[in-house]
Amino acid sequence: MRGAHPRVVLGLHRSRHERRLLTGALELGVTSIDTSTNYFGFHAHTVLAREAGDLLPRFTVSTKVGYFPGRERAEHSLDPVRLYEAVERAARDLGREPDLVFLHNPEHSLGGTVDNGRDALAQACAALDDATSKGLCGSWGVASWDPIPLVGLVDPTSLKPSVLMARAGLLVGAGTLAAVEALTAAWGLDRGRAWA
């Protein structure tokens, strides 16, 4: 995304995809919004496009893929076909290509051995990289609630995300912060590419 300076991103989480929030953000000079495919019962993008589709060109839009509707509740998957299709659907539902698509909480589907986890993560990242190269989004990144399981699964030869987004703040433990530092170093990302 633009520049390496800290900036404010309006996080449209599980609710509140309202036009008045977007117009208020623009009045305050906030021109970046973040949402996810699974928010609002998997309708976040269609609600956003319906409520404020004409405003979206004025924003840098990031979203997340990785959760899918399940029989009884949302399920997580790193299946590359499902992820690629989720990026396609995000662009269609938003009425425009997202500027940035995050792989959402990949740690939720990393089980088994380190080699299996490394392979699953690599395939998921490759799907987002492919979607980016085909113009379905501007770039891709990784958003992790708990990045500790990702440490050791990436190295400088891994596909490199544009951005790593993780939790931050007073209630975040030292292990999480150390994992963010380790992943940033392993991917060779500068500090401007680590979001909190």
Side-chain angles (χ1 to χ4, degrees):
M1 310 272 293
R2 296 185 289 259
H5 301 289
R7 62 193 173 98
V8 175
V9 177
L10 175 62
L12 299 175
H13 301 126
R14 293 173 178 74
S15 62
R16 310 283 307 249
H17 288 58
E18 299 169 6
R19 182 179 186 86
R20 66 180 183 81
L21 291 176
L22 298 178
T23 56
L26 288 171
E27 289 169 6
L28 295 171
V30 176
T31 58
S32 297
I33 56 177
D34 178 65
T35 187
S36 179
T37 58
N38 61 304
Y39 296 161
F40 247 170
F42 292 92
H43 296 291
H45 296 150
T46 54
V47 170
L48 191 55
R50 182 183 70 231
E51 295 293 321
D54 60 315
L55 298 177
L56 291 183
R58 297 174 65 184
F59 286 95
T60 298
V61 178
S62 61
T63 191
K64 306 173 201 75
V65 297
Y67 289 96
F68 300 90
R71 282 192 156 173
E72 296 181 23
R73 60 185 181 139
E75 62 186 32
H76 192 273
S77 176
L78 292 178
D79 178 273
V81 173
R82 291 180 84 181
L83 292 170
Y84 186 91
E85 289 172 351
V87 178
E88 286 182 315
R89 182 173 179 178
R92 184 174 63 246
D93 289 350
L94 284 167
R96 59 164 283 191
E97 293 79 18
D99 297 285
L100 173 62
V101 174
F102 287 105
L103 178 59
H104 199 181
N105 291 335
E107 65 273 12
H108 287 183
S109 290
L110 293 174
T113 67
V114 171
D115 287 341
N116 288 344
R118 184 177 292 121
D119 186 53
L121 182 61
Q123 287 185 39
C125 291
L128 295 187
D129 194 63
D130 188 35
T132 302
S133 69
K134 291 188 173 142
L136 296 174
C137 57
S139 60
W140 67 275
V142 173
S144 176
W145 188 254
D146 178 14
I148 295 170
L150 304 180
V151 176
L153 301 183
V154 299
D155 60 44
T157 67
S158 302
L159 283 172
K160 179 179 177 178
S162 296
V163 176
L164 171 63
M165 181 165 59
R167 293 183 301 146
L170 297 175
L171 299 179
V172 177
T176 298
L177 298 176
V180 170
E181 290 291 330
L183 289 170
T184 301
W187 272 315
L189 298 173
D190 63 45
R191 289 198 172 272
R193 299 297 179 177
W195 288 12

